[in-house]
Amino acid sequence: MESTPKDISPKRNGLSLAVSNSLSLSTSPNAIFQSSYQSPTSSFGGLRLARASTGAFPKQLKPFATEDIKILLLENVNQTGRDNLQNQGYQVDFHKSSLPEDELIAKIRDVHVIGIRSKTKLTARVLREAKNLIVIGCFCIGTNQVDLQYAAQHGIAVFNSPFSNSRSVAELIIGEIICLARQLGDRSNELHKGTWNKVSNGCWEIRGKTLGIIGYGHIGSQLSVLAEAMGMSVIYYDAVNLMALGSARQVPTLAALLNDADFVTCHVPELPETKNMIGSRQLDQMKKESYLINASRGSVVDIPSLIDAMRSGKIAGAALDVYPSEPGGNGDYFTNDLNFWAEDLRSLKNIILTPHIGGSTEEAQSAIGVEVSEALVRYVNQGTTLGAVNMPEVNLRSLTMDEPDHVRVIFIHHNVPGVLRKVNEVLGNHNVDKQMTDSRGDVAYLMADISNVNQSEIKELYESLESLSSRIMTRVLY
């Protein structure tokens, strides 16, 4: 008879079933959940792969009473993501906006999974209160809004969507290049006010112009292809050597790019070395009457320096989609109270200001919802960390329905000498079918599938691993 998958993960002071180390989901360590079998939602250990390799259906590791799993989704996460999580039977608490920090802390105390976008800040202060949290889903590209180190050190995995909105951002940049070259924003604003101002002075075709891309990653490389299709020449600067697409050419220094480009666009992450990457010195290095675009992170461009450069005529136009401080919701908030230079910025000519909408298309948000929610389901149900930004990437092929007495052990621990010897002493009395471990900085992640394990042995396995001084989090899925 097939066994029903469960999760032994007791409270710190007891042995009742839990998803994390702190929340009891049942009063008995032998309690089971009642749920019909469902096919996995992804190709990792999915139905097609498992049947092709073993001839058997994968064993769905739903290691808990799914109706007791609490998920908090903020900032209007796309319906596709909400549907994926609700279809698993989880409790989903959905909010259209971010929450003030104190309200967020009150909400996060009881949840096992939280999904956010770019406005919610998961600081150490917030995460310290999240006693039951096992995973964070960032339904966006960036993860700088999360204290990744604190999360990792407390066994909380973080996933994001590094690819899904790349095309949307790249298309926005192409549109902004054309709008800046033709001063379309100013002409539109003038005509809205009733002023007919038909001019050609300072308006250009983009064909034959040079686009300089700072950061040749997923967005930068797609933008490169689109720009060449529009007749532009493309140069790019990146911290590492990357293969060029089409006729694009990598330049050795940022200064070389700034000296040669008619349009400069930034696509870099928020790092200490990218803070004020474009300041007064870099603006001086740009060609006279060139254009600057930033849709990466608000800290990359020193905006007061940009204001000065535009007022002097050095920079002919700019487009900004991100800012050092951004409002927590929609409204009349883009004022000097938010950023002291906001009104000076708004007064400039030929400047496009957008409210962090680079990835805000129906297609991108739908794809992000699918990608991140599937990563969350895989992690919660199977322990797979592929795609995690703060954990080692570990994955094992799925257990199958032909392996009813197998369990999956997940041991997140401090990366210190001697841990694997102690873990293997615990596992050594059992038949370990497969095992994988990897480390990332101070945190290591071990996953092992063990066969022919009974209920009492599961409890013993858990307690033995929990007793190790190196433990961060232990889960036993079956």
Side-chain angles (χ1 to χ4, degrees), residues 169-455:
V169 178
E171 288 187 3
L172 177 68
I173 303 305
I174 290 293
E176 290 177 335
I177 291 171
I178 295 172
C179 286
L180 291 174
R182 298 295 298 273
Q183 302 177 13
L184 292 185
D186 288 354
R187 298 295 86 76
S188 177
N189 288 336
E190 290 162 356
L191 205 52
H192 273 281
K193 296 175 182 178
T195 301
W196 185 276
N197 185 24
K198 183 178 179 180
V199 296
S200 59
N201 184 44
C203 297
W204 311 94
E205 294 182 356
I206 68 169
R207 179 181 56 175
K209 305 301 185 294
T210 298
L211 174 63
I213 301 173
I214 304 173
Y216 203 67
H218 304 299
I219 295 172
S221 56
Q222 282 210 41
L223 174 60
S224 172
V225 174
L226 296 177
E228 284 200 346
M230 300 291 291
M232 301 187 79
S233 299
V234 177
I235 57 177
Y236 63 92
Y237 170 72
D238 201 286
V240 297
N241 290 327
L242 296 170
M243 184 181 71
L245 299 180
S247 301
R249 176 173 56 88
Q250 185 166 7
V251 294
T253 64
L254 177 59
L257 180 142
L258 299 175
N259 290 334
D260 291 344
D262 299 299
F263 295 84
V264 173
T265 179
C266 304
H267 302 283
V268 296
E270 185 173 57
L271 299 170
E273 53 265 38
T274 63
K275 182 176 176 61
N276 292 333
M277 188 178 195
I278 303 297
S280 58
R281 184 166 65 90
Q282 289 75 26
L283 291 164
D284 286 342
Q285 292 171 338
M286 292 176 63
K287 294 172 69 172
K288 183 172 175 56
E289 297 184 345
S290 57
Y291 304 84
L292 178 67
I293 300 171
N294 183 27
S296 58
R297 287 292 176 259
S299 61
V300 171
V301 174
D302 179 42
I303 294 182
S305 296
L306 173 62
I307 293 171
D308 291 341
M310 291 191 67
R311 283 175 170 170
S312 71
K314 172 70 175 183
I315 302 300
L320 301 176
D321 188 48
V322 289
Y323 310 90
S325 296
E326 298 181 358
N330 294 339
D332 298 329
Y333 304 123
F334 197 69
T335 65
N336 281 8
D337 293 335
L338 183 69
N339 295 293
F340 70 90
W341 36 254
E343 293 176 18
D344 287 338
L345 186 70
R346 288 161 43 195
S347 70
L348 297 174
K349 293 291 187 180
N350 202 26
I351 187 161
I352 300 170
L353 303 177
T354 50
H356 204 150
I357 58 170
S360 296
T361 62
E362 294 287 354
E363 295 90 344
Q365 292 306 309
S366 177
I368 288 171
V370 171
E371 182 179 1
V372 177
S373 64
E374 288 186 350
L376 295 176
V377 169
R378 285 196 301 271
Y379 183 77
V380 173
N381 289 359
Q382 303 173 31
T384 298
T385 58
L386 291 178
V389 299
N390 69 331
M391 289 275 187
E393 294 190 277
V394 177
N395 184 40
L396 292 178
R397 67 180 183 275
S398 292
L399 296 174
T400 72
M401 299 301 287
D402 292 342
E403 301 168 309
D405 298 322
H406 287 54
V407 300
R408 173 163 290 177
V409 173
I410 296 167
F411 186 63
I412 308 172
H413 61 89
H414 297 291
N415 185 23
V416 295
V419 176
L420 290 182
R421 175 176 55 81
K422 294 179 180 179
V423 171
N424 286 325
E425 286 175 359
V426 174
L427 304 181
N429 294 327
H430 303 275
N431 182 33
V432 179
D433 283 356
K434 48 189 181 292
Q435 178 177 330
M436 182 177 177
T437 185
D438 197 0
S439 62
R440 184 171 184 167
D442 297 330
V443 176
Y445 195 97
L446 179 144
M447 185 187 296
D449 287 345
I450 305 172
S451 60
N452 302 318
V453 182
N454 59 42
Q455 290 284 334

Side-chain angles (χ1 to χ4, degrees), residues 4-71:
T4 308
K6 300 173 286 295
D7 180 355
I8 298 290
S9 184
K11 296 170 70 175
R12 300 183 195 280
N13 60 354
L15 286 172
S16 51
L17 280 174
V19 177
S20 67
N21 289 44
S22 57
L23 178 67
S24 173
L25 297 183
S26 170
T27 57
S28 166
N30 297 320
I32 63 174
F33 79 97
Q34 301 298 324
S35 175
S36 60
Y37 171 79
Q38 295 180 340
S39 297
T41 56
S42 87
S43 61
F44 294 110
L47 178 62
R48 185 178 303 171
L49 179 60
R51 287 183 62 84
S53 59
T54 68
F57 284 94
K59 179 181 179 182
Q60 182 73 352
L61 295 176
K62 281 200 169 179
F64 32 71
T66 53
E67 66 273 12
D68 290 331
I69 300 307
K70 296 181 179 180
I71 298 180

